[in-house]
Amino acid sequence: MKILLNGEAFATDAKTLDELCARLGFAEAKIATAVNGNFVAALKRSTTKLAPADEIEIVAPRQGG
Amino acid sequence: MLTLYGTDFTSRLLLGTAQYPSPESLKLAVEASGAEIVTVSLRREAARARTGQGFWGLIEELGCRVLPNTAGCRTAKEAIATAHMARELFGTNWIKLEVIANDDTLQPDLFGLVEAAATLSAEGFAVLPYTTEDLSAAERLVAAGCTVLMPWAAPIGSARGLSNREALKTLRAYFPDIPLVIDAGIGTPSHAAEAMEMGYDAVLLNTAVAKAGDPVKMAAAFAKAVEAGRLAFEAGLIEPRDMASPSTPVAGTPFFKIDHAS
């Protein structure tokens, strides 16, 4: 299945957002997520099913002004 | 004492964490500034680089309260989603709310800002909106639930100082009980001091310190300027006047004769 991960085309067979994060090595990482423009809380990642063409954002802390 | 959303702070200088030449200079600059609040952001995390994980470790070491921003958001919807991600990521309901209107000025989109501020305030966020000096927007933001306002001095990163002094004075006079933080456009310690002399409660800046030749020294300079400006405001400034007024007593001036005075 093809999705858009952080703005770039990405192929995955992960079924849920939680699974996708784990496969990317983010299982223990300090990240936050959104699907199709809407925030998805960490606790809801395991019940958030992925569908083709989903737009996934995975963000982390960064320098800011 | 500065009070923002029920929390007291000794320092009236808020510092951004971006653009420093090194993580070490960021750490030392924050220490030298005396800032108790630092702004942070969130950005896309790449699986290989994991940039944000290291940065978070550095921020935790600083021991400051973090104020996440929604920098780069163009719509209320983007800003709201970003605020939610920030709340979970940083464990704080404080948000420096930015909804940006265009790339050249990075000025706030006041319509999107008010919309996002209302939604987020209703959801329990402590919203610190990056706004302009516009009085009607300020009124709307307060009505939306904001108990702090952060008007710009000038466009972000421009270092131009207080571009619209009269309107900023009006804003200060109009909201005597709302903490007002000058955010963006400060270039020099004298700009910061001027804002504080006008009665602004605090100053938020980033580029002026981070891009200085010596960020740590400049952070110390801003700390002194903010403190000096605040002391001056509390002391009460004299009114400017058009003509001279001798400071040395006139009475008893040697060689004084009446016709000299005519």
Side-chain angles (χ1 to χ4, degrees), chain A residues 5-8 24-26 28-34 36-43 45 56-65, chain B residues 16-19 26 39-47 50-53 55-56 69 77 81 84-86 88-90 96 98 204 206:
Chain A
L5 174 61
N6 284 346
E8 290 180 13
L24 292 168
F26 290 140
E28 305 297 322
K30 195 163 183 68
I31 55 161
T33 51
N36 299 327
N38 298 310
F39 167 66
V40 177
L43 288 171
R45 283 178 207 148
I56 314 292
E57 298 285 341
I58 300 179
V59 299
R62 201 63 49 89
Q63 295 85 344
Chain B
T17 57
Q19 306 184 85
L26 162 60
T39 54
V40 293
S41 186
L42 51 79
R43 287 291 178 262
R44 287 169 167 170
E45 184 80 330
R50 299 173 67 88
T51 313
Q53 309 307 309
F55 175 66
W56 179 244
N69 69 29
K77 185 175 191 299
H84 280 110
M85 291 195 284
E88 184 180 78
L89 201 52
F90 296 104
K96 174 183 164 180
E98 298 184 40
L204 197 173
N206 189 157

Side-chain angles (χ1 to χ4, degrees), chain A residues 9-29:
Chain A
F10 189 80
T12 181
D13 53 6
K15 299 279 189 296
T16 64
L17 182 57
D18 199 38
E19 206 182 323
L20 176 68
C21 291
R23 288 186 189 195
L24 292 168
F26 290 140
E28 305 297 322

